[in-house]
Amino acid sequence: DIQLTQSPSSLSASVGDRVTITCRASQSIIFYLNWYQQRPGKAPNLLISAASSLQSGVPSRFSGSGSGTNFTLTISSLQPEDFATYYCQQNYNSLTWTFGQGTKVEIK
Amino acid sequence: QVQLVESGGGVVQPGRSLRLSCAASGFTFSKYGMHWVRQAPGKGLEWVAFIRYDGSNKSYGDSVKGRFTISRDTSKNTLYLQMNSLRAEDTAVYYCAKGNAPAPLTGRYFDYWGQGTLVTVSS
């Protein structure tokens, strides 16, 4: 099974900071990597699909990049509403879907 | 707009059964694969089960295989999760999620989620 490892597990940042979260796959998943944001007590929300495709309605300060085994989610200028937990997710082959363990973005 | 509303959660004793439901609206239910995803208290997301748009194919996470059964009723636009032989480690919020791609594709991610229903397994 393909495993996803996110880093860091948590980070502290200030409003306006540039934030980068990494997701590494245990084998190549080409570009089949997606990112979700989850605010406390809420359901996850899809931010980016296929490594870099920003979903409709998601602010342009969010961006995704990468291919193969290494992927990144970048928030160019952190806003108060961005303090949340972020998950990567893959479905490269077979009928299984996998999430990373999550990265919690906290206020410094 | 797409709406997914889960129900059926509650407190159940270890070894017992529970059935979750997810009422779908705002899209053509019969054309999309559907999923259950869970989240234990304070933990990350775990994919649980998938059912193809026509019910012809199902898959499960290793931790629930053989105990949980996913199904759907197109006439009622409803997704189900039958959970048997429940364990304490099944305690979680269970989310219903829609697959992103229409039939005949499977879909590689989850584009809409319900609000979740809490299942607590405890004696």
Side-chain angles (χ1 to χ4, degrees), chain A residues 5-61:
Chain A
T5 302
Q6 287 183 235
S7 61
S9 296
S10 66
L11 65 90
S12 295
S14 300
V15 172
D17 284 353
R18 181 181 182 88
V19 168
T20 298
I21 299 168
T22 297
C23 180
R24 179 165 295 176
S26 57
Q27 66 184 72
S28 177
I29 54 173
I30 310 180
F31 56 84
Y32 295 118
L33 193 285
N34 313 294
W35 291 98
Y36 301 83
Q37 176 193 65
Q38 186 179 34
R39 297 188 176 111
K42 300 295 185 181
N45 180 52
L46 178 66
L47 296 176
I48 289 170
S49 63
S52 60
S53 181
L54 195 68
Q55 296 304 293
S56 175
V58 175
S60 59
R61 62 180 179 273

Side-chain angles (χ1 to χ4, degrees), chain A residues 62-104:
Chain A
F62 291 92
S63 64
S65 65
S67 64
T69 60
N70 293 309
F71 301 87
T72 59
L73 172 69
T74 300
I75 309 172
S76 60
S77 177
L78 199 64
Q79 298 301 301
E81 61 268 30
D82 301 337
F83 292 96
T85 301
Y86 294 85
Y87 295 91
C88 58
Q89 171 261 318
Q90 70 84 24
N91 167 248
Y92 172 60
N93 57 10
S94 80
L95 293 181
T96 59
W97 286 257
T98 309
F99 290 94
Q101 81 279 16
T103 296
K104 187 174 184 179

Side-chain angles (χ1 to χ4, degrees), chain B residues 2-83:
Chain B
V2 172
Q3 278 200 311
L4 300 169
V5 180
E6 302 93 337
S7 60
V11 180
V12 60
Q13 293 179 328
R16 304 296 289 255
S17 299
L18 200 64
R19 189 178 81 157
L20 305 182
S21 300
C22 171
S25 62
F27 66 103
T28 306
F29 182 70
S30 61
K31 290 188 176 180
Y32 288 87
M34 296 294 294
H35 301 260
W36 288 98
V37 177
R38 70 183 181 182
Q39 186 169 37
K43 302 298 183 182
L45 300 170
E46 179 189 12
W47 171 76
V48 172
F50 162 76
I51 185 168
R52 196 168 162 86
Y53 66 95
D54 57 0
S56 64
N57 210 341
K58 306 174 185 180
S59 61
Y60 299 91
D62 288 343
S63 61
V64 307
K65 205 171 291 184
R67 299 188 299 123
F68 289 12
T69 302
I70 189 171
S71 62
R72 63 193 298 160
D73 185 337
T74 299
S75 68
K76 296 182 179 179
N77 281 359
T78 301
L79 177 73
Y80 301 101
L81 185 67
Q82 178 67 42
M83 304 185 295

